[in-house]
């Protein structure tokens, strides 16, 4: 079915749903292991009952009916859809938040092998009869591309550089292979998963162009059955994506470099090129890449560089010679966030934010539409709770972001526009980039919310019949305790965490997912392969609603800063043991301050356990003063100046590297990378001061807790 026909059909179905003529079913809610622990209170019962598979499916099918990149008319229509559903469900103060942004769109792309024999490559994904949506490339306007790649027409020999990391290029140099003036072919592969970093590495070494392909060893037939039989990428699948150099600060092409004229309009700043690539690049399937790789000679690759294609890989250069033509266009467009609120009953100024992005490279059934559909189900459940007379203590903000795929744009712009309020009153941000592509729960959080996340999963049933989500999650680990992952950079929590210092949670259900950022990330893939019946997507909606409600309705905020402080020695050890670090590097001053922070946090938490049910704590003013102090603890981990050369990132413990791997203790980490060992004592002093600030806030909170009238 063509996109227009699909859209008409599903718009009609959506209208029936709005009029109440389409069925709305439910999924049985179970809590605990066997009987186990149930939800606490009427609002939580609603939040666990209301999300439903058929309602989720209607949202998902509407969201995935057409491609909807940032800045396209369809993505704006979907903003209307999200807004209208939030209003329909009874949420309050539903509005758009618009921001101008530099957007990149494809015009054309071609790759032709010129030698040793001419062959034009397809650069398209083949249709699959079992998936009506896989007719994308019948539309000539659909061109696989890297957003923000430089337009150009280049011709050169090809060199294969494995995953495109610094050590890969260093090994090429050891082999006597020079990439200057050549086109570099790289694969989407760990540990350097971000495509922009690969292009940056090639560019900085003098390459004329870059090609990044999906090797079957990583996400194709070498892993198992390919779509439509299984979850892995078929031979022609192509991973679209942005290659903006966002480690300099997400959203910079509009937040830092575009300034509003007094008379209206926008003017380009002085440093626009800092984040934008200077060479052309394209994404490619392994079906096309095999035509190039099989024609390369030169040294045989090291064993770790050998991919899954059925021949021996060589690094080149040549004799394969390629002409690559890329035409992208850039324009100032509009990013549109959709923001809805539920006003808190007694602390309306305090904000708990839950968000997911809407924009997708193509259909984006998993990434991000499953998350948007789940967020809509959370909105529907919260609306039902409001109508039943339940209102949380604090204000809940539901945010559907735009521009995440391009440049983390929508969330960054909203955080910057609301920075003062969020800095003072932001309790936490919960992010769900995608809800579910499989059955394995993956939970990440800043350390003070790790225990909270583990506890929340005890109240949601595992759809696979393994007890609760907590039980199923714990079964993945030898010690039987769920491991909450570290979260640093790369999605919409970035501005909240590394810029503001807010407490954050990021979560999803995962599984084999070989169609990422391709046209095969479709409704058919998710409904038939990734999550039949949408059981895990519905479970995610339930967990999202429960988590946001508990954070918004708790008396004393459920932070455990003892877990945060206890993690610091490990962070210090990691950076001290890194390559290039001076020996010895004990950082005793920071360790001592962390120990003081741990002592203060433990004392406060013991008092909460001992006095938490005391009637005197019904004094909402006292609780508010305690919570205001608790919010200052994570903010203590930031410094206003930010990182050297990357001022957007202000956190002292976490910052993203261009590889998407975290940099722990980033100021010291980057000083070691620069060889600037003289800066380490100064940065250690900053850490010690931050830990002591945190200790003071917790000591004052404990004093408020202890000093209760009538005791």
């Amino acid at each position: 079915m063509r996109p227009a026909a699909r859209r008409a059909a599903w718009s009609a179905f959506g209208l029936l749903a709005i009029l109440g003529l389409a069925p709305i079913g439910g999924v049985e809610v179970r809590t605990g292991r066997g009987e186990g622990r149930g939800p606490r209170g009427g609002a939580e019962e609603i939040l666990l009952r209301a999300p439903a598979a058929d309602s989720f499916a209607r949202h998902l099918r509407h969201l995935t009916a057409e491609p909807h990149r940032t800045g396209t008319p369809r993505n704006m229509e979907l903003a209307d859809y999200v807004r209208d559903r939030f209003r329909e469900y009874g949420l309050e103060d539903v509005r758009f938040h618009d921001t101008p942004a530099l957007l990149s769109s494809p015009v054309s792309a071609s790759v032709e092998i010129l030698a040793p024999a001419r062959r034009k490559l397809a650069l398209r994904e083949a249709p699959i009869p079992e998936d009506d949506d896989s007719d994308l490339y019948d539309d000539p306007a659909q061109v696989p591309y890297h957003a923000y790649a430089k337009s150009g027409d280049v011709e050169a020999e090809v060199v294969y550089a494995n995953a495109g990391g610094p050590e890969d290029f260093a090994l090429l140099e050891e082999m006597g292979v020079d990439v200057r003036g050549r086109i570099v072919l790289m694969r989407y592969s760990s540990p350097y998963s971000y495509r922009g970093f690969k292009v940056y590495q090639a560019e900085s070494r003098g390459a004329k162009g870059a090609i990044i392909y999906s090797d079957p060893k990583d996400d194709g037939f070498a892993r198992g059955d390919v779509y439509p039989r299984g979850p892995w990428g078929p031979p022609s699948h192509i991973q679209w994506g942005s290659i903006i150099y966002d480690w300099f600060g997400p959203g910079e092409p509009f937040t830092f470099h575009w300034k509003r004229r007094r008379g209206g309009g926008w003017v380009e700043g002085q440093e626009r090129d800092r984040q934008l690539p200077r060479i052309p690049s394209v994404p490619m399937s392994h079906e096309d890449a095999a035509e190039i790789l099989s024609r390369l000679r030169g040294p045989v690759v090291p064993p770790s560089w050998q991919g899954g294609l059925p021949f021996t890989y060589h690094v080149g250069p040549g004799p394969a010679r390629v002409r690559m033509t890329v035409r992208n266009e850039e324009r100032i467009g509009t990013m549109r966030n959709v923001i809805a609120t539920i006003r808190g009953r007694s602390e309306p100024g305090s904000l708990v934010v839950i968000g997911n992005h809407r924009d997708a490279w193509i259909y984006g059934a998993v990434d991000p539409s499953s998350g948007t559909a789940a967020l809509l189900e959370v909105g529907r459940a919260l609306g039902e709770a409001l109508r039943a007379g339940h209102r949380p203590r604090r204000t809940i903000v539901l945010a559907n972001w735009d521009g995440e795929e391009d440049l983390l744009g929508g969330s960054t712009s909203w955080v910057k526009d609301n920075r003062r309020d969020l800095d003072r009153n932001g309790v936490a941000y919960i992010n769900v980039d995608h809800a579910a592509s499989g059955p394995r729960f993956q939970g990440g959080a800043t350390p003070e919310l790790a225990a909270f996340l583990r506890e929340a999963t005890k109240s949601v049933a595992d759809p696979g019949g393994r007890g609760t989500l907590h039980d199923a999650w714990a079964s993945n680990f030898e010690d039987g305790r769920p491991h909450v992952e570290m979260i640093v950079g790369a999605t919409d929590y970035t501005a909240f965490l590394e810029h503001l210092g807010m407490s954050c949670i990021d979560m999803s259900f995962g599984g084999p997912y070989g169609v990422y950022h391709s046209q095969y990330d479709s409704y058919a893939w998710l409904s038939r392969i990734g999550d039949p019946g949408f059981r895990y997507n519905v479970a995610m909606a339930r967990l999202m609603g429960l988590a946001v409600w508990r954070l918004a309705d708790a008396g004393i905020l459920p932070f455990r800063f003892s877990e945060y402080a206890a993690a610091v020695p490990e962070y210090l050890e990691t950076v001290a043991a890194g390559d290039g670090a001076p020996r010895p590097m004990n950082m005793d001053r920071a360790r001592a301050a962390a120990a003081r922070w741990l002592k203060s946090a433990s004392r406060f938490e013991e008092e909460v356990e001992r006095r938490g049910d005391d009637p005197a704590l019904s004094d909402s003013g006292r609780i508010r003063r305690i919570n205001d102090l608790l919010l200052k603890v994570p903010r203590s981990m930031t410094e206003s100046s930010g990182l050297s050369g990357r001022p957007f990132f202000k956190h002292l413990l976490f910052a993203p590297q261009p590889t998407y791997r975290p940099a722990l203790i980033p100021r010291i980490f980057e000083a070691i990378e620069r060889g600037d060992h003289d800066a380490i004592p100064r940065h250690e002093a900053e850490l010690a001061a931050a830990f002591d600030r945190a200790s003071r806030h917790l000591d004052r909170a404990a004093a408020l807790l202890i000093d209760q009238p009538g005791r």
Side-chain angles (χ1 to χ4, degrees):
M1 188 182 296
R2 299 298 303 139
R6 286 197 299 269
R7 178 177 165 192
W10 283 98
S11 293
F13 185 80
L15 179 60
L16 291 176
I18 293 168
L19 295 175
L21 302 178
I24 298 178
V27 179
E28 180 186 2
V29 177
R30 293 173 295 160
T31 59
R33 184 191 297 274
E35 292 298 319
R37 177 190 301 208
R40 300 175 299 189
E44 292 193 2
E45 292 174 359
I46 293 170
L47 293 166
L48 289 174
R49 172 185 52 77
D54 54 357
S55 179
F56 175 92
R58 285 197 300 276
H59 292 314
L60 184 71
R61 197 61 186 96
H62 186 80
L63 292 164
T64 60
E66 295 182 38
H68 49 283
R69 297 195 318 271
T70 301
T72 62
R74 178 59 178 171
N75 203 39
M76 289 298 189
E77 291 172 7
L78 292 182
D80 292 343
Y81 177 82
V82 173
R83 176 200 60 192
D84 293 346
R85 298 293 78 71
F86 281 163
R87 287 177 174 172
E88 176 190 346
Y89 298 151
L91 305 186
E92 303 159 348
D93 191 21
V94 182
R95 64 177 64 189
F96 292 145
H97 171 267
D98 289 352
T99 309
L102 180 68
L103 302 179
S104 175
S105 300
V107 176
S108 64
S110 66
V111 176
E112 184 178 9
I113 300 174
L114 303 177
R118 297 184 76 94
R119 183 181 181 90
K120 188 168 184 178
L121 302 182
L123 288 188
R124 69 188 301 274
E125 294 173 306
I128 290 177
E130 294 89 339
D131 187 346
D132 288 342
D133 290 331
S134 64
D135 57 1
L136 174 74
Y137 293 90
D138 287 349
D139 182 350
Q142 299 297 337
V143 179
Y145 81 119
H146 284 150
Y148 304 103
K150 182 179 179 180
S151 296
D153 186 342
V154 297
E155 178 183 324
E157 289 182 315
V158 176
V159 171
Y160 171 60
N162 190 36
E167 64 268 34
D168 296 319
F169 284 99
L171 188 52
L172 283 175
E173 189 173 343
E174 288 179 20
M175 294 179 183
V177 177
D178 191 350
V179 302
R180 285 179 296 178
R182 294 187 165 110
I183 293 172
V184 178
L185 177 66
M186 298 164 282
R187 62 193 247 211
Y188 287 113
S189 179
S190 296
Y192 302 104
S193 59
Y194 179 47
R195 64 196 75 80
F197 184 63
K198 300 172 191 287
V199 174
Y200 180 77
Q201 290 295 317
E203 174 194 300
S204 26
R205 288 164 173 79
K208 291 177 70 173
I211 299 170
I212 308 177
Y213 79 100
S214 300
D215 195 281
K217 183 177 181 179
D218 302 314
D219 62 6
F221 63 77
R223 304 292 300 275
D225 285 336
V226 303
Y227 188 57
R229 290 186 60 188
W232 297 105
S236 66
H237 85 283
I238 301 172
Q239 185 189 132
W240 299 31
S242 177
I243 58 167
I244 198 165
Y245 301 160
D246 61 0
W247 54 89
F248 292 119
E252 281 202 24
F254 71 90
T255 59
F256 290 15
H257 302 330
W258 294 89
K259 310 296 183 184
R260 188 184 293 277
R261 289 192 177 103
R262 286 187 179 180
W266 297 83
V267 61
E268 185 176 333
Q270 294 296 312
E271 300 180 18
R272 168 179 174 269
D273 286 343
R274 186 183 186 203
Q275 282 194 300
L276 299 181
R278 294 176 172 83
I279 60 174
S281 70
V282 292
M284 185 175 285
S285 68
H286 75 248
E287 191 172 56
D288 277 345
E291 299 292 341
I292 301 174
L293 281 164
S294 64
R295 289 169 169 82
L296 289 179
R297 296 296 177 261
V300 173
V301 300
S304 62
W305 289 28
Q306 176 66 41
L309 293 167
F311 51 78
T312 299
Y313 291 20
H314 293 255
V315 299
R321 188 174 185 85
V322 162
R323 180 181 180 185
M324 182 172 71
T325 304
V326 175
R327 285 188 61 211
N328 290 343
E329 65 178 14
E330 295 173 1
R331 62 182 178 86
I332 300 295
T334 299
M335 294 184 305
R336 174 160 289 173
N337 300 323
V338 187
I339 308 295
T341 61
I342 295 174
R343 186 171 175 81
R345 68 178 187 273
S346 59
E347 294 182 31
S350 297
L351 307 175
V352 180
V353 186
I354 184 166
N356 155 266
H357 74 95
R358 182 182 66 256
D359 60 298
W361 291 111
I362 310 173
Y363 305 117
V366 173
D367 179 17
S369 299
S370 68
T372 300
L375 185 68
L376 288 169
E377 285 298 277
V378 172
R380 189 167 67 83
L382 287 169
E384 187 174 330
L386 282 175
R387 289 191 296 275
H390 304 289
R391 184 174 290 275
R393 181 186 189 97
R394 302 174 187 85
T395 294
I396 294 175
V397 178
L398 292 89
N400 186 228
W401 310 118
D402 200 357
E404 189 273 351
E405 295 290 5
D406 297 71
L407 70 169
L408 297 184
S411 56
T412 302
S413 67
W414 190 78
V415 166
K416 288 177 68 66
D417 288 348
N418 295 277
R419 188 184 192 286
R420 182 173 298 179
D421 193 17
L422 289 168
D423 188 47
R424 184 172 58 249
N425 299 312
V427 173
Y429 172 64
I430 300 173
N431 186 71
V432 176
D433 195 72
H434 66 268
S437 61
R440 186 183 178 99
F441 182 73
Q442 299 165 322
T446 47
E448 72 276 19
L449 283 176
F452 169 83
L453 179 58
R454 285 191 290 263
E455 187 68 19
T457 60
K458 294 178 180 178
S459 294
V460 182
D462 170 53
R466 297 169 292 177
T468 65
L469 292 184
H470 184 275
D471 298 329
W473 187 15
S475 70
N476 297 323
F477 302 97
E478 290 185 2
D479 61 4
R481 185 171 186 263
H483 293 193
V484 179
E485 299 171 359
M486 181 186 301
I487 58 172
V488 181
T491 191
D492 283 312
Y493 58 71
T494 299
F496 292 91
L497 173 55
E498 282 109 11
H499 185 65
L500 286 182
M502 273 180 64
S503 303
C504 292
I505 291 172
D506 183 64
M507 54 190 180
S508 66
F509 286 95
Y513 177 37
V515 297
Y516 174 70
H517 284 192
S518 75
Q519 73 160 345
Y520 307 117
D521 186 358
S522 64
Y523 184 90
W525 185 94
L526 184 53
S527 62
R528 290 181 51 245
I529 305 291
D531 185 20
F534 301 121
R535 298 181 304 157
Y536 287 93
N537 279 285
V538 171
M540 177 55 70
R542 291 172 175 158
L543 180 59
M544 291 165 67
L546 187 74
V548 75
W549 186 271
R550 286 186 177 177
L551 283 168
D553 203 47
I556 294 176
L557 290 169
F559 297 142
R560 290 191 66 86
F561 289 111
S562 60
E563 290 204 28
Y564 208 158
V568 167
E570 181 181 346
Y571 300 162
L572 295 172
E573 179 60 32
T574 298
V575 73
D579 292 340
R583 303 289 189 265
M585 183 179 166
N586 297 320
M587 290 190 285
D588 290 337
R589 182 176 177 184
R591 290 178 187 276
R596 291 191 292 272
W597 181 18
L598 177 59
K599 182 178 179 181
S600 295
S602 299
R603 176 171 175 256
F604 172 77
E605 289 159 16
E606 288 167 3
E607 290 296 335
V608 170
E609 288 292 324
R610 194 157 64 92
R611 303 173 183 265
D613 295 327
D614 193 294
L617 281 179
S618 61
D619 177 0
S620 61
R622 181 186 297 271
I623 292 176
R624 178 62 186 268
R625 292 195 297 275
I626 290 170
N627 287 336
D628 284 346
L629 288 166
L630 296 183
L631 292 186
K632 292 179 180 179
V633 176
R635 304 314 193 272
S636 298
M637 300 302 116
T638 63
E639 284 282 355
S640 60
S641 59
L643 288 174
S644 175
R646 301 197 293 161
F648 181 85
F649 299 111
K650 302 182 183 302
H651 210 283
L652 292 172
L653 297 179
F654 309 124
Q657 296 183 57
T659 60
Y660 278 0
R661 293 186 296 181
L664 293 171
I665 322 292
R667 295 185 178 204
I668 293 178
F669 176 88
E670 294 185 0
I672 292 171
E673 279 200 326
R674 296 191 306 268
D676 184 9
H677 293 175
D678 291 341
I680 293 175
R682 181 175 77 253
H683 296 319
E684 183 188 4
E686 293 166 349
L687 287 172
F691 302 154
D692 283 336
R693 287 195 298 270
S695 297
R696 288 193 295 272
H697 296 317
L698 288 164
D699 288 343
R700 290 174 61 196
L704 279 171
L705 192 62
I706 294 168
D707 183 20
Q708 297 182 25
R711 287 196 63 88

